[in-house]
Amino acid sequence: MPTTPAPAPADGLLTAARRNLRELAHGLSHMSHPATPLLSGAPRLWQRLIPYAAVVALTAALLPVTLTVLAHDHHVPGAVAAAVAVAQAAPLLMLAHRPLQAWWIVFPADLLGALVLLAREGGPHLAWPWPPPTLIGYLFVLLALGLRETRTTVVAAWLANGAAGLLLFLVAPGRADGSALLLFLLGGVVVVIGAAVRERGVAQRRLAEQETISEDERARRTLLEERTRIARELHDVVAHHMSVITVQADSAPYRIAGLSDEARGEFTAIAASARESLTEMRRLLSVLRSEDVRGERAPQPGLDRLAPLVEATVRAGTPVDLSVAVAQAEVPTAVDLHAYRIVQEALANVVRHAPGAATRVSVRAEDGALTVLVVNGPTDGPVAPLETTGTGHGLVGMRERVRLTGGTLDTGPLAEGGFRVAARLPLDPAAAPLPPEEQDQ
């Protein structure tokens, strides 16, 4: 059976070499980041000014030194020496925000300076092709590239300098003093250091992003858990009403005399629909109810349970003054449940975060709404920070309950110390505004 001959190894090596050269060229021609200054995300102004101060000091030090070395040591004419010195040192001012553009100016300027020095007579103690100021400046360019650019870009700049040093050595081996090899070796060390610092910063930023995402996920999970808990409670409320409808529809033919067959059929259909709805709701509850609450069978509490709740809080060491000015018959069942849960969560927060603080609970009906107010004063002991998100429900549950009833919630610390929770729940569900997500439908 004929087989396809394998490609020659040389083709694979040439292809890989061309691909790597294209990557290196692309790295030198494209910035990997916006033209934002180094340390631009620092919280303090003086920290953000450090890179600018460093490049200004570096340029101010290297510019006169480079000019002196060119003019006095190598006897380069003044105008040429000044032009080369400015071309090699002035672009260092760009290292704080545009290091790759600075490299594109410094590298050709260094080559130009080496060619200018090659045309002059060199002494036995004069460095060539890279005088000390040129060598130091290029090391700082490599460091800036390592801190800002990708590994490919930094390696390309390092190899470009090595190739230039090798080419100059081949042009004039008698003039070379080893500065090209020294810059290549020191440049490799600087590249490794800069890349390590950059990758460490990238890792820290990614870790911070992951922590932020984790916090958001925890908050979202807490919100979903609270909504599930509220749904379970509302199921009990709605199931009670559906049970009443079923009983009334089943007993209507026995309680009301003279019903026609059509009316008896309607009551029978109503009872059957109510029983079917109850069955579906029980199936829904089996999904919502977790294993740890599968055995809950107690009726949902309401405003009539506020007095025992306050008594339990007082026994825990927190003095509470309760004032209820509303007839429970006037309050819808769902609002009754939500009002009790809001007071329960608020008192739990007081016990956890301000134990022993004097607390006032007020529940009253006014202007078609139920107003729930829980205010605690300052505590003598240390105050634990109040968490609005996390593993507990607290304020998250209060906001969800108020949102479901179309009411408003106002929470926050008091100027004289303590904390305030004020909720307003409409007593007429039909008059309450829809939640935002339902308004858009």
Side-chain angles (χ1 to χ4, degrees):
M1 180 177 180
T3 59
T4 303
D11 294 339
L13 293 176
L14 291 176
T15 302
R18 286 195 296 267
R19 183 176 64 253
N20 291 331
L21 287 176
R22 283 196 300 269
E23 292 178 357
L24 293 176
H26 183 272
L28 287 176
S29 59
H30 295 79
M31 287 196 309
S32 63
H33 65 90
T36 55
L38 188 66
L39 300 183
S40 59
R44 300 184 181 276
L45 177 61
W46 67 269
Q47 294 173 336
R48 297 192 294 271
L49 293 179
I50 288 178
Y52 293 102
V55 297
V56 169
L58 178 64
T59 305
L62 286 183
L63 182 58
V65 173
T66 304
L67 180 59
T68 301
V69 169
L70 293 176
H72 292 81
D73 296 349
H74 295 270
H75 305 289
V76 178
V80 177
V84 173
V86 171
Q88 290 181 348
L92 300 179
L93 293 171
M94 304 168 59
L95 295 183
H97 58 291
R98 295 180 182 271
L100 186 57
Q101 287 87 336
W103 180 87
W104 275 105
I105 301 174
V106 172
F107 180 63
D110 289 349
L111 289 177
L112 176 63
L115 296 177
V116 170
L117 295 183
L118 183 61
R120 313 299 299 176
E121 294 183 2
H125 303 293
L126 295 179
W128 188 87
W130 314 128
T134 303
L135 187 148
I136 294 174
Y138 198 82
L139 288 178
F140 276 100
V141 172
L142 288 179
L143 179 61
L145 287 174
L147 294 175
R148 301 303 302 278
E149 298 294 336
T150 62
R151 187 181 306 173
T152 302
T153 301
V154 182
V155 171
W158 176 56
L159 292 178
N161 177 262
L166 178 60
L167 180 62
L168 292 172
F169 173 78
L170 296 177
V171 170
R175 288 288 302 273
D177 66 336
S179 60
L181 179 61
L182 178 62
L183 178 55
F184 186 73
L185 296 177
L186 292 179
V189 175
V190 170
V191 165
V192 172
I193 295 175
V197 173
R198 178 182 181 273
E199 291 179 2
R200 181 176 181 271
V202 171
Q204 289 178 337
R205 286 194 297 272
R206 290 178 178 174
L207 180 60
E209 292 174 358
Q210 284 299 122
E211 290 177 350
T212 302
I213 294 174
S214 299
E215 288 293 332
D216 294 340
E217 288 297 327
R218 274 197 294 270
R220 188 178 298 109
R221 185 169 61 250
T222 299
L223 181 61
L224 292 177
E225 290 175 355
E226 183 62 14
R227 287 180 175 177
T228 302
R229 186 166 74 104
I230 294 173
R232 292 197 303 263
E233 296 176 352
L234 290 181
H235 162 271
D236 296 340
V237 174
V238 177
H240 168 73
H241 292 300
M242 295 299 296
S243 299
V244 172
I245 293 174
T246 303
V247 172
Q248 289 178 336
D250 282 333
S251 62
Y254 305 99
R255 293 182 291 103
I256 304 176
L259 288 178
S260 62
D261 293 338
E262 291 80 359
R264 291 176 182 272
E266 286 293 331
F267 280 118
T268 302
I270 291 173
S273 298
R275 278 192 291 270
E276 183 179 354
S277 299
L278 275 174
T279 302
E280 295 298 330
M281 290 184 63
R282 290 192 184 98
R283 293 174 182 170
L284 174 62
L285 183 63
S286 65
V287 176
L288 295 178
R289 199 181 291 274
S290 57
E291 293 182 359
D292 57 339
V293 295
R294 198 174 290 276
E296 289 182 359
R297 293 294 183 267
Q300 295 296 342
L303 296 179
D304 59 331
R305 301 294 300 167
L306 284 181
L309 175 64
V310 169
E311 292 175 1
T313 307
V314 172
R315 287 195 299 270
T318 300
V320 181
D321 179 24
L322 174 64
S323 174
V324 179
V326 59
Q328 191 172 7
E330 304 174 1
V331 183
T333 308
V335 176
D336 189 36
L337 168 63
H338 291 323
Y340 174 85
R341 291 302 189 194
I342 290 174
V343 175
Q344 184 183 41
E345 295 285 1
L347 291 180
N349 281 337
V350 173
V351 173
R352 283 194 299 264
H353 305 288
T359 306
R360 177 168 57 91
V361 178
S362 173
V363 181
R364 65 182 186 276
E366 56 183 4
D367 299 331
L370 185 70
T371 302
V372 179
L373 180 65
V374 181
V375 180
N376 67 273
T379 180
D380 296 334
V383 179
L386 184 63
E387 299 180 0
T388 58
T389 61
T391 57
H393 300 293
L395 298 181
V396 175
M398 295 184 197
R399 293 192 184 98
E400 278 302 296
R401 293 182 184 279
V402 171
R403 186 188 67 85
L404 289 174
T405 61
T408 58
L409 178 68
D410 180 23
T411 63
L414 301 175
E416 63 276 8
F419 201 82
R420 174 177 180 267
V421 174
R424 182 178 175 84
L425 311 177
L427 292 176
D428 183 6
L434 292 173
E437 60 268 23
E438 296 184 15
Q439 292 178 1
D440 298 335
Q441 296 179 356

